[in-house]
Amino acid sequence: NKKVKAEGEHMTVELHEMFGKLKKEYNLPMTFDFAARELIAQQMIMMFKEKSFLGNREMEKNYRKFCSLSPVAKNSPKFTIAFWIAKLLPGNIIMQARSLAINLLVAKNKKTYVKFQRQLQTMTTD
């Protein structure tokens, strides 16, 4: 029931630290690789957001730190390609593409969203 905390670095670093503490405390026989694979999938998307909000230097620092902690990240061709695309694309292009993607998702899911909102409204007003 103890909380496991990290020192407020990037999510990938914090999760690696927390996993290390849990592995040591509970003598877990696994490596961080299973989590690294999932984080790579998430980071391939988040990297573009980091680039547009934080810039190349911070995005690259986070990428390199994650790769230094995880051989899975370091050896992932998809992750490396996503990094270079994010690094080379201008931030304003990334923001425009992100905005377009969000608007397309909202338009695509509008019926579902409206239906869900109506269900919530009937649940809360009865």
Side-chain angles (χ1 to χ4, degrees):
N1 284 346
K2 288 190 251 176
K3 287 188 178 181
V4 178
K5 293 183 180 179
E7 296 302 316
E9 292 191 56
H10 191 262
M11 170 190 68
T12 54
V13 176
E14 286 184 353
L15 287 173
H16 189 271
E17 288 176 8
M18 291 183 336
F19 176 80
K21 290 176 184 177
L22 289 169
K23 180 178 179 173
K24 186 176 179 181
E25 186 172 330
Y26 294 103
N27 199 21
L28 299 173
M30 57 184 73
T31 66
F32 186 69
D33 292 353
F34 77 97
R37 285 183 190 88
E38 193 60 40
L39 286 170
I40 287 168
Q42 293 173 10
Q43 277 305 109
M44 284 174 40
I45 296 167
M46 288 301 296
M47 202 179 301
F48 292 92
K49 191 174 182 181
E50 283 181 4
K51 158 68 182 262
S52 54
F53 287 108
L54 304 174
N56 271 340
R57 184 178 298 149
E58 194 67 22
M59 180 204 59
E60 185 167 352
K61 182 183 99 177
N62 294 333
Y63 168 80
R64 298 222 182 272
K65 182 74 173 181
F66 185 34
C67 287
S68 74
L69 294 171
S70 169
V72 173
K74 183 179 181 179
N75 296 321
S76 170
K78 286 182 184 178
F79 193 48
T80 302
I81 290 168
F83 165 74
W84 281 106
I85 290 171
K87 185 170 178 154
L88 296 173
L89 275 176
N92 62 345
I93 301 257
I94 292 171
M95 288 296 280
Q96 289 174 0
R98 184 175 178 272
S99 178
L100 177 63
I102 289 170
N103 287 334
L104 288 172
L105 282 171
V106 167
K108 178 184 171 210
N109 297 317
K110 188 156 181 119
K111 284 183 182 179
T112 306
Y113 175 77
V114 169
K115 182 180 175 183
F116 179 71
Q117 289 299 317
R118 285 186 187 138
Q119 288 174 341
L120 276 177
Q121 192 173 26
T122 57
M123 289 169 57
T124 57
T125 56
D126 287 343

